[in-house]
Amino acid sequence: MRNRLLVPTLGLGQMVAFASSYYLLGILADPMARTTGGQPAGLFAALSAAFLLSAVLTPFAGRAIERRGGRTVLASAHVAFAVALLVLCTARSPFQLWLGITLLGGGMGSGLYGTAFAILVELRGTEARRGITAVSLAEGSDDRSAGRCWMPEIGALPVAHGRWLTSCCTCPSPSSSCRADPRAATSPRKRRSRIVSCGTERCFSSPACSRGRGWSRPLWGRISRAFWRASA
Amino acid sequence: MTSTDAAWAAGLMATSAIVARVFDLVVLHKSHPLTTVRLACLLHPAGALAALATAGKAVVLLPIGQGLGNGLLSVASGVLPLQIYGPDRYAVRQAMVLTPARYLQAVAPAAFALALDTSVALALVLSSAVCLAMLPLTLGLTPRT
């Protein structure tokens, strides 16, 4: 049963990670700048700096995944996100905002797609393709309406009352709770045995089982089944 | 362009990205990921061409093409290294694929804004040229069966 949770968990983690990095300024830049007396443009420059930092860190993240395993790296990245967001939500000056946004780059280098995909490949090998698509699909539902993703949407409530700080504070808590994902509880040995079981339990995806399914099946049923299979 | 238009365009783009990923999950999963990549390369230029050819009347196709292409590309960036190199040392190779992309990502918004300041057509031709340049790059990658 734990296998079923892998894709939704990684998808949720990516949702939160993207919401609190890429899309954060889409909704919060203006209120942040207003409260601390800075310029939104300056904050976006800080986001570019964060991208740069994440680019510098990416090769190191790749090697760290190989050495320590994807889940350790992903968990550390979420801690980095949480630290950056805490810096942001205690910010009283434009400089501290700038610093917090740049620090997000630390998490972005090792906590986005690349690491989530690497975990899937670690666990499933060449079978990981559908999981990769499903995780990016789950994250994609977060892109909807340009950064007004549901995570800052929760944040938008306090923003409406001029309290963007609260929304920065609420983001790290789900971020860090992603550390409690099912993979964290399994030892490397157990992970290996699950790779084996992944290989034997894939009845749904075998050609014999999928032969009978045509386009007459309602579209939504097909999509949800595809997602479900990818989770397995 | 008002901010409402911008929000609509962004929403359309994101919805198209989801549609593209669902399409990949349901239809393309049996085909080679190179198909996904090549399709992705063509979708943004197609949207840009439609917008330019109709002098902006079909501008709605621009965010749709961009969203579809981008949605497929994020899947392809994960799946293609897996297909070409196999699962061995996947994390390192995936990081090597992502690193140059992230450097470019840091400068892309400023570069695009500069091009946009000169003319909208120039910006669209440039971004389409980048996509079309990717297409011949995929030709050397032979499917491993």
Side-chain angles (χ1 to χ4, degrees):
Chain A
M1 278 315 283
R2 265 183 178 166
N3 276 322
R4 293 275 182 210
L5 289 176
L6 180 61
V7 166
T9 314
L10 284 177
L12 181 69
Q14 290 301 295
M15 237 185 227
V16 177
F18 271 89
S20 49
S21 57
Y22 272 54
Y23 306 127
L24 187 73
L25 290 188
I27 191 155
L28 293 184
D30 282 337
M32 277 175 171
R34 219 179 300 127
T35 330
T36 55
Q39 290 293 321
L43 299 181
F44 282 103
L47 191 61
S48 275
F51 277 125
L52 210 59
L53 180 63
S54 85
V56 172
L57 290 177
T58 301
F60 297 102
R63 265 171 267 155
I65 293 169
E66 196 172 60
R67 234 184 358 256
R68 297 176 191 277
R71 76 193 153 118
T72 314
V73 173
L74 192 63
S76 326
H78 277 275
V79 173
F81 277 131
V83 169
L85 290 168
L86 285 172
V87 169
L88 278 176
C89 72
T90 54
R92 291 290 176 275
S93 66
F95 172 75
Q96 205 182 336
L97 273 185
W98 220 92
L99 181 74
I101 293 169
T102 310
L103 280 178
L104 283 174
M108 283 152 72
S110 54
L112 298 181
Y113 278 152
T115 312
F117 293 168
I119 288 174
L120 282 166
V121 173
E122 251 174 45
L123 294 174
R124 294 179 181 175
T126 43
E127 300 281 291
R129 174 174 183 173
R130 310 199 77 181
I132 288 175
T133 313
V135 165
S136 63
L137 177 63
E139 185 281 318
S141 30
D142 173 77
D143 300 355
R144 274 171 52 76
S145 54
R148 272 164 235 274
C149 46
W150 58 269
M151 200 43 79
E153 202 124 82
I154 298 172
L157 234 69
V159 167
H161 303 280
R163 294 292 303 276
W164 60 268
L165 291 177
T166 323
S167 61
C168 267
C169 283
T170 48
C171 277
S173 18
S175 285
S176 32
S177 70
C178 289
R179 280 177 296 151
D181 65 43
R183 282 160 296 116
T186 45
S187 68
R189 188 183 306 171
K190 275 188 185 160
R191 268 194 281 152
R192 262 199 298 281
S193 69
R194 276 198 291 145
I195 299 174
V196 177
S197 68
C198 279
T200 52
E201 288 171 5
R202 296 189 59 80
C203 163
F204 274 135
S205 56
S206 76
C209 287
S210 55
R211 200 168 291 146
R213 292 177 298 121
W215 275 104
S216 56
R217 182 181 293 276
L219 183 65
W220 186 244
R222 283 184 67 95
I223 295 170
S224 53
R225 281 177 66 98
F227 191 85
W228 179 246
R229 275 204 309 276
S231 308
Chain B
M1 189 173 178
T2 65
S3 57
T4 321
D5 290 342
W8 267 102
L12 212 54
M13 215 170 81
T15 310
S16 311
I18 295 178
V19 169
R21 285 165 190 164
V22 168
F23 182 72
D24 188 85
L25 194 63
V26 178
V27 181
L28 290 181
H29 71 272
K30 284 190 190 114
S31 63
H32 195 274
L34 274 177
T35 318
T36 310
V37 179
R38 288 174 186 155
L39 204 59
C41 295
L42 292 175
L43 285 163
H44 172 76
L49 186 70
L52 287 177
T54 58
K57 284 200 188 73
V59 75
V60 69
L61 291 176
L62 185 63
I64 292 180
Q66 159 72 18
L68 290 174
N70 208 26
L72 288 181
L73 269 184
S74 67
V75 175
S77 75
V79 176
L80 199 58
L82 178 63
Q83 185 78 22
I84 303 283
Y85 301 114
D88 185 42
R89 302 208 73 195
Y90 173 83
V92 173
R93 291 186 169 120
Q94 160 82 349
M96 280 165 72
V97 170
L98 284 178
T99 304
R102 285 188 173 156
Y103 276 109
L104 286 177
Q105 205 167 27
V107 292
F112 194 72
L114 281 177
L116 211 54
D117 264 354
T118 314
S119 96
V120 176
L122 175 74
L124 286 182
V125 167
L126 273 181
S127 58
S128 301
V130 172
C131 293
L132 291 177
M134 281 159 58
L135 198 61
L137 293 178
T138 65
L139 296 179
L141 303 169
T142 40
R144 208 184 62 161
T145 44

